[in-house]
Amino acid sequence: MYPKFIYNRTLLYIFGLSSYLSLNTVQGKGNTPPNIIFIFADDMGYGDISALNEDSKITTPHLDRLAHEGVIFTDAHSSSSVSTPSRYSLLTGRYNWRSELKSNVLYGYDEALIPDNRRTIADVLGECGYHTACIGKWHLGWHWSGIEKGEEQIDFSQPISNGPTTRGFDYFYGIAGSLDMPPYVYVENDRPTAVPDHTTVNTGLKFWRKGPTAPDFNHEQTLPHLINQAVDYIQKRVQTNTPFFLYLPLPAPHTPILPIKEYQGKSGLSPYGDFVIMVDDMVGQIMETLKKEGIDENTILVFSTDNGCSPAADTKELENKGHFASYIYRGYKSDLYEGGHRVPCLVRWPQHIKPHSINQTICLTDFFATFSALANYSIPDNEGEDSYNLLPLLLKNKEKKIIREATVHHSIDGEFTIRKGPWKLLLSPGSGGWSSPRRQEITEDMPRIQLYHLGNDPEEQDNLYNDYPDVVKEMRALLIKYIQEGRSTPGIPQKNDGPQTWKQIEWITTSLNQ
């Protein structure tokens, strides 16, 4: 039985009764809950999609179609500019820096980042009648049998623990980390599909780290193999009478940059351009499957990326050829600058959404509250602490109410920036990542903070921190409030995981004099 509607915390606080009534009416139409598919590309820039960048040198017809048939969020952001933290935030509706991981990412042998008492959106949807699946790149850690004796002592014939099936997913098929992180084995549910029997390594744009590799694992075929698994899953779920949630985190176009033969040279730009075209075609295969199975009208299909394009794509050469993966924005993956965390975000639901664009700021954490609202789930105070419901924006293309008070972003170095309206305050003298100025390039005469007005300066070139001290003071105070209260949504304050004070927070709250 599909659960009865319970008032959603976010709806009550942010939108009021009128929005609740409109959502209730929409959900009741046809009395059939929508299927939900979230496709999460890896290291792909806002400017890589031709519908979002008229000067793109890469053509992405399937993603363009998705954009033209649904909602384009032009100011969407991942919570972090690197992979593991962004995935944590998407699944939990919580800023990544509230977890125990305060900087950097996990690797293929690392333990689970999401604790067993932290509910994910898969937990929520499963409780509300959905079958839930994750197919693709997990990159949130799990426990390998025998790892306590060392990486070389892992027993791949034994099941893993603390993996996706213990974090809300009924089914999992995929890999532990990025495609350049060992071990190179597929895991189905809790078991490796084969025991490694050789070691592989590669370099250049096809870089991956040396590591044990299973006989059924082929780096070049990983992306199409995972898409085939996803198509098979969709076709099987159509035979049932229950809605499904498919989280589909792709391993591409992250390194190793591996377009298969039929895509090589297709972009006329670079192997990275070819790989993006391949990703676009894989999305097209999912869209075609939904159409063939007759479920595209009542399936919510979301496409986004975990962060911006990586410099490993040889972005300087792309720029020399006139392609800007970050569009007009500064920086790339890892950075506090817009190119690090401003991401494409496209949502299609033909049965209920009319094509339109949304220009206000959103964060990928917001899909926790959005999908919860779709499932009529009331979010308690200790879940989705940084998640706002986007349904009013999706369903009402004239909705003007601002969803988020402010949005916090995080870099690979663990540094912070906060965005409110057109203002963006970087609590860092540099990029916070791999773009210049990097940590080792910081000098004593550089300003300790940066303030940009994105409405006038989307390229983040004119640091206005000296001209607007009141703005700096207000935004810094708001960031400290969000940190100390353990949430940015209305509700009872919560605790962050790990140490309540860490070096970046100490600098923001005590060392920075403003």
Side-chain angles (χ1 to χ4, degrees):
M1 179 70 68
Y2 196 53
K4 294 181 179 179
F5 187 85
I6 302 173
Y7 284 124
N8 178 276
R9 176 197 72 204
T10 307
L11 292 176
L12 285 176
Y13 278 106
I14 305 299
F15 301 110
L17 186 59
S18 61
S19 290
Y20 150 62
L21 290 174
S22 66
L23 293 177
N24 196 35
T25 301
V26 169
Q27 289 180 341
K29 184 178 179 181
N31 200 31
T32 304
N35 303 304
I36 303 171
I37 300 176
F38 198 110
I39 303 176
F40 211 26
D42 196 4
D43 288 8
M44 186 169 164
Y46 184 96
D48 287 328
I49 298 178
S50 45
L52 306 181
N53 176 9
E54 61 182 9
D55 296 320
S56 175
K57 301 301 181 183
I58 303 171
T59 302
T60 53
H62 302 292
L63 289 169
D64 290 358
R65 179 186 157 207
L66 182 59
H68 295 147
E69 293 179 354
V71 173
I72 301 172
F73 285 100
T74 63
D75 197 359
H77 299 260
S78 54
S79 70
S80 170
S81 54
V82 283
S83 184
T84 298
S86 291
R87 293 157 200 277
Y88 173 92
S89 293
L90 175 66
L91 293 181
T92 65
R94 190 175 188 238
Y95 285 138
N96 58 278
W97 41 269
R98 300 195 192 282
S99 76
E100 293 189 351
L101 186 69
K102 306 303 185 186
S103 62
N104 218 305
V105 301
L106 298 186
Y107 288 83
Y109 297 108
D110 286 334
E111 297 290 333
L113 177 61
I114 302 175
D116 56 11
N117 62 350
R118 168 62 56 179
R119 281 162 61 81
T120 68
I121 189 58
D123 284 307
V124 169
L125 292 175
E127 180 182 298
C128 295
Y130 278 74
H131 188 274
T132 60
C134 172
I135 298 175
K137 166 187 167 176
W138 182 238
H139 208 182
L140 285 164
W142 61 49
H143 182 81
W144 294 98
S145 179
I147 187 67
E148 58 276 358
K149 299 178 183 178
E151 295 171 4
E152 295 182 355
Q153 300 302 314
I154 292 176
D155 186 350
F156 290 100
S157 69
Q158 296 301 307
I160 66 165
S161 56
N162 284 330
T165 62
T166 68
R167 299 302 186 267
F169 290 99
D170 297 313
Y171 177 75
F172 172 73
Y173 186 97
I175 57 179
S178 297
L179 193 53
D180 58 10
M181 295 177 177
Y184 304 116
V185 299
Y186 292 117
V187 171
E188 184 169 26
N189 290 325
D190 299 323
R191 283 190 173 274
T193 59
V195 175
D197 63 356
H198 64 288
T199 298
T200 60
V201 65
N202 213 330
T203 59
L205 285 177
K206 295 183 177 181
F207 163 81
W208 63 80
R209 297 167 179 84
K210 182 179 180 180
T213 308
D216 63 346
F217 195 95
N218 182 306
H219 280 77
E220 286 84 356
Q221 292 296 324
T222 299
L223 177 58
H225 177 63
L226 292 173
I227 293 298
N228 288 340
Q229 294 291 325
V231 168
D232 183 63
Y233 171 80
I234 294 169
Q235 291 172 337
K236 288 179 178 177
R237 295 315 306 170
V238 170
Q239 307 304 316
T240 72
N241 294 319
T242 56
F244 66 84
F245 167 54
L246 171 59
Y247 170 51
L248 184 54
L250 309 180
H254 190 288
T255 53
I257 297 174
L258 296 172
I260 59 177
K261 185 175 181 180
E262 64 185 279
Y263 297 97
Q264 293 172 10
K266 199 169 184 178
S267 70
L269 183 66
S270 70
Y272 175 79
D274 300 340
F275 211 18
V276 170
I277 288 176
M278 183 175 169
V279 169
D280 177 75
D281 201 37
M282 299 296 110
V283 174
Q285 290 185 37
I286 297 297
M287 295 171 70
E288 183 62 25
T289 299
L290 297 178
K291 183 178 179 180
K292 285 183 177 179
E293 298 298 330
I295 59 172
D296 57 330
E297 286 291 313
N298 197 32
T299 296
I300 298 174
L301 179 59
V302 184
F303 176 88
S304 192
T305 70
D306 59 351
N307 44 250
C309 176
S310 172
D314 198 356
T315 51
K316 288 185 178 180
E317 180 62 21
L318 290 174
E319 290 177 1
N320 289 337
K321 293 181 178 181
H323 180 76
F324 294 83
S326 295
Y327 187 42
I328 62 172
Y329 303 107
R330 182 178 180 179
Y332 288 101
K333 173 185 178 178
S334 79
D335 297 338
L336 293 176
Y337 298 126
E338 289 291 286
H341 50 79
R342 186 182 288 247
V343 294
C345 184
L346 313 173
V347 183
R348 189 187 72 164
W349 186 15
Q351 187 166 300
H352 293 297
I353 291 177
K354 294 181 180 179
H356 62 285
S357 294
I358 300 294
N359 300 320
Q360 62 173 276
T361 309
I362 69 159
C363 185
L364 297 186
T365 56
D366 297 334
F367 283 97
F368 185 99
T370 304
F371 295 159
S372 294
L374 279 164
N376 299 329
Y377 175 78
S378 180
I379 304 175
D381 281 304
N382 63 347
E383 296 177 12
E385 292 94 332
D386 303 296
S387 188
Y388 290 84
N389 180 17
L390 301 176
L391 277 179
L393 294 180
L394 293 170
L395 300 173
K396 291 183 174 182
N397 58 10
K398 294 183 179 180
E399 176 68 53
K400 299 297 183 183
K401 189 179 291 291
I402 299 300
I403 298 291
R404 309 187 120 258
E405 178 184 35
T407 305
V408 181
H409 310 298
H410 208 229
S411 75
I412 192 170
D413 289 344
E415 298 187 339
F416 286 84
T417 178
I418 182 169
R419 165 84 178 280
K420 184 178 181 183
W423 291 107
K424 180 178 177 183
L425 178 68
L426 285 71
L427 280 303
S428 170
S431 70
W434 301 329
S435 293
S436 185
R438 302 180 66 174
R439 180 176 289 172
Q440 60 268 34
E441 298 170 343
I442 304 301
T443 60
E444 287 297 322
D445 61 337
M446 294 176 64
R448 298 294 93 186
I449 58 175
Q450 303 169 67
L451 179 69
Y452 299 106
H453 189 288
L454 294 184
N456 300 328
D457 179 26
E459 297 89 355
E460 297 174 277
Q461 297 296 315
D462 188 11
N463 187 355
L464 302 174
Y465 82 102
N466 264 335
D467 299 328
Y468 295 91
D470 290 343
V471 174
V472 172
K473 182 178 180 180
E474 174 193 352
M475 295 183 70
R476 176 176 172 244
L478 186 58
L479 175 59
I480 292 172
K481 175 178 179 286
Y482 286 171
I483 293 168
Q484 293 178 340
E485 293 188 355
R487 68 180 321 118
S488 58
T489 55
I492 298 172
Q494 302 293 311
K495 286 187 176 182
N496 301 313
D497 300 342
Q500 295 304 296
T501 299
W502 58 100
K503 64 179 182 178
Q504 292 89 348
I505 301 304
E506 285 184 340
W507 187 75
I508 291 170
T509 56
T510 61
S511 302
L512 180 62
N513 295 316
Q514 285 291 333

